[in-house]
Amino acid sequence: MTDVHILGIRHHGPGSAHSVAEALAALRPDLVLVEGPPELDQVIPLLSDPDMVPPVAGLIYAADEPRLASFYPMASFSPEWVAIRWALSTGAQVRAIDLPAAHTFALRVAEEAAGPPSNGEGEDTAADGGPSTGGGEPPAQPQQPYRPDAIAMLADAAGYSDAERWWEDAVEHRNTDPVDRFAALTEAIAEIRAADDRPGDHPDVMENNRREASMRRLIRAAMREGHARIAVVCGAYHAPALMPAGFPPVAADNKVLAGLPKAKVAVTWVPWTSNRLSRRSGYGAGVTAPGWYQHLFTHWMAQDPGTEVSTTWLVRVAHALRRENLDASTASVVEAARMANALAAVRGRPSPGLAELDDAAQAVLCDGSPLPLALVHRELTVGLELGTVPESAPTLPLAADLAATQRRLRWKPGAMEEVLTLDLRKPNQLARSVLLHRLALLGVEWGIQAETGRTTGTFKEVWTLQWQPELAIALVEASRYGTTVASAAAAYVSERAQDAGSLTELSNLLAGCLLADLPDGIGGVVQVLAERTALQQDVAPLLETISPLARTCRYGNVRGVDVTGVRKILDTTVVRACVGLPTACAGLDDDAAAVMRRAVDSAQQGLSLLPDLPLDDWHRALAAVAGSDRIHGAVAGRATRLLLDAGLVDGNDAAARLSRRLSVATPAREAAAWLDGLLSGDATLLIYDPRLLQIVDDWVAAVDDEIFDDVLPLLRRTFSAFSRPERREIGEQVSRRGGIVQIAGEATLDLAAAGPAVRTMARYLGWEAMV
């Protein structure tokens, strides 16, 4: 007769892992069954590979729809990891038991098709911590239904806020047989389950019943194989339902599992991070302090009576503070350890836990400040570890190509966020930039491009890098486009080009292809762009296309890419936009004028990138817009400003236009819109041309009180865009207007008032004799 032992554990619980290790050593089972989809069986042997370093996660995804995926994370302190590694090291058989993921994914598709539940339930996380649910890891899958964390409930009943603290005090410190500990826990959890009054047709209850029926079916099959002793490692909440003595009839379980749909799935291992094991990341089976739990597990497994877990932890805290150039002396560590023990005694705890250690560290090592402790929390309490997976793990060609490229570039992903500055003049760094741009096009956002500062050069890029486990799903989804990063990115861009809804989107795709060094992608986008621009009649989209195309031509020249076809499209687009601009600007309302003004600014920015573009046509179009009284003031004022910046309108002409636009014959709202178009961007005009400032000041003073309330928001928006020093300078000039002498319409300085300043500057320059 087969002897079956149920070991109910808390997922990612170091105390549970330690007890599992002790129980397995005492039981010596010839078969170990671990909670998890049976699909994991084909990759479980890889956990014995020395290159498999936790944290890692089993990844199961629907082969035809990779967005349907689940992660099954394991750390070195996870009971499942301990059980599997024990079985592999002793030669015992090991399998996963749970509802197959093939059924889970198919049921999820059916639920999505049916819509959300009407009662609004089923939205909580998998509180029992079962990695078999994937833990609600976004964005690969939705959060899993609620199931009570039975061990946490027992801890709460005993007055503990941390389930691991309760396990340590109530279980680890007991000198009892480890198998008896699990038996006692199972009895307590059976009482918790008996108090669950949810009806049998509740969605969460139905989902849990399916899982447990599937587990019992696999346990029965294992028992029929004739094993002498079987150990079942499962979530504590499931333990009472998996006791063979309490099994329901086989027919009852078969009825629960009958007719379940199936989907084709694939399975592999992917690296995981300590941060993604934390509950704050959204992982339903997560723990609050993965780094602390790793420390606890290491200490318990070492079984060294000469060391204390609290002392060794505080030593690590001191080292972390010293790395941040903060004082943390040995004497302070000793004092912090004493305080932690005192706090534990005051709070009625057998030994200090993380709460006492944090309080002691903040009070003694951090001088009461929580900020240094935040660094410790990030580095130690949560941890920065990123696991590794052996090359022998099943992988898609696209993922293999990415890994090979990373090795060639000597570039290892990391779980810690880092800022990387690339100098594109260096071949290796240019290759890294190309890889990041290709991945970005595919939606694999390993790096996010940041601003490079004030530099306008094209040889520098700044990226913020952080590898997230979910990127493995993005790679799976992108694999349908190609077997290499380059081919997949090119195919993906070509597909997006066909579905692009605007010329701006096509232009941005083209720029992305250039940065990602995708000649095939450029060709496909250029073909679609040429067809769309030829058919585009609206001027605003044509104007918005100019800047991306100009950037493409500029970067193409820098990177040595042939952009002849792009340049032809750009030249044609500029000519068509210039011809149609005056007509397109007529009869615009406020909203349409705002759109046109943004398009004009975008085109101006693009045209400034390439000096050999037909600027004469552009300036003639702007002159036609600026000189028309029938065009909305925001657009006409902006055209005037661009002509003024280009030197095609002098100061006298600008002052005359401003005076005419701000005359009493022009409605105040129209005048304010024209003024906003003229001044938007910076205050240089008003600061260095007192005539314009005086015209604006006089106009503002003359606006009727009834109309001023309508004009004020626009004026406020105009002047709020100026920097604080610019606004202060304008205010000071207005307050000094009494010192400006008007002579024949010209503004001159009061030399008598400027005398002291002139003499001071002459003294600095050594010209005293000339003053």
Side-chain angles (χ1 to χ4, degrees), residues 410-493:
R410 300 178 182 177
W411 203 9
K412 186 177 180 180
M416 183 176 180
E417 182 179 292
E418 62 174 323
V419 177
L420 179 67
T421 301
L422 298 176
D423 185 346
L424 304 185
R425 296 170 295 185
K426 299 179 180 179
N428 180 270
Q429 298 196 28
L430 176 60
R432 291 185 176 189
S433 169
V434 168
L435 176 61
L436 289 174
H437 281 293
R438 289 174 176 175
L439 292 175
L441 286 174
L442 287 171
V444 183
E445 295 184 347
W446 175 20
I448 298 177
Q449 195 167 4
E451 294 293 332
T452 58
R454 296 185 177 181
T455 178
T456 58
T458 57
F459 63 87
K460 178 183 177 183
E461 287 181 351
V462 178
W463 293 82
T464 301
L465 301 179
Q466 186 177 27
W467 184 263
Q468 298 286 358
E470 294 87 357
L471 298 181
I473 296 296
L475 281 173
V476 173
E477 293 178 332
S479 63
R480 65 188 180 94
Y481 293 102
T483 58
T484 66
V485 176
S487 63
Y492 178 65
V493 166

Side-chain angles (χ1 to χ4, degrees), residues 17 27 91 135 156 166 219 257 285 318 337 411 429 439 455 477 486-487 496 522 575 582 627 659 712 740:
L27 292 172
D156 183 67
W166 173 82
I219 292 175
L257 300 174
W411 203 9
Q429 298 196 28
L439 292 175
T455 178
E477 293 178 332
S487 63
R496 279 188 59 187
I522 291 177
V575 171
S659 180
L712 182 59
I740 298 179

Side-chain angles (χ1 to χ4, degrees), residues 46-47 49-57 81 269-273 385-391 393 412-413:
L46 290 172
L47 293 189
D49 194 305
D51 292 331
M52 181 76 78
V53 179
V56 295
W81 174 273
W269 291 104
V270 296
W272 205 252
T273 66
E385 289 76 14
L386 173 65
T388 60
V389 173
E391 296 182 6
K412 186 177 180 180

Side-chain angles (χ1 to χ4, degrees), residues 308-315 317 329-345 351-353 356-365:
E308 293 186 4
V309 63
S310 58
T311 302
T312 53
W313 177 259
L314 289 171
V315 169
V317 171
S329 65
T330 303
S332 298
V333 173
V334 174
E335 184 61 30
R338 291 174 179 170
M339 177 175 284
N341 288 323
L343 287 172
S351 61
E356 287 75 31
L357 293 172
D358 280 348
D359 291 343
Q362 179 174 335
V364 179
L365 297 176

Side-chain angles (χ1 to χ4, degrees), residues 95 216-227 230:
R95 301 174 195 163
R216 288 191 292 265
R217 171 184 284 182
L218 294 174
I219 292 175
R220 290 190 185 99
M223 294 172 63
R224 289 194 298 268
E225 294 175 1
H227 294 281
I230 298 175

Side-chain angles (χ1 to χ4, degrees), residues 3 5 57 65 68 123 137 142 177 281 350 362 423 435 456 480 497 501 507 536 552 595 606 654 717:
D3 189 13
H5 295 270
E65 196 171 1
L68 294 174
E123 295 296 326
E137 191 63 43
D177 182 85
S281 69
Q362 179 174 335
D423 185 346
L435 176 61
T456 58
R480 65 188 180 94
S507 301
Q536 181 60 253
T552 301
V595 172
R717 185 182 67 185

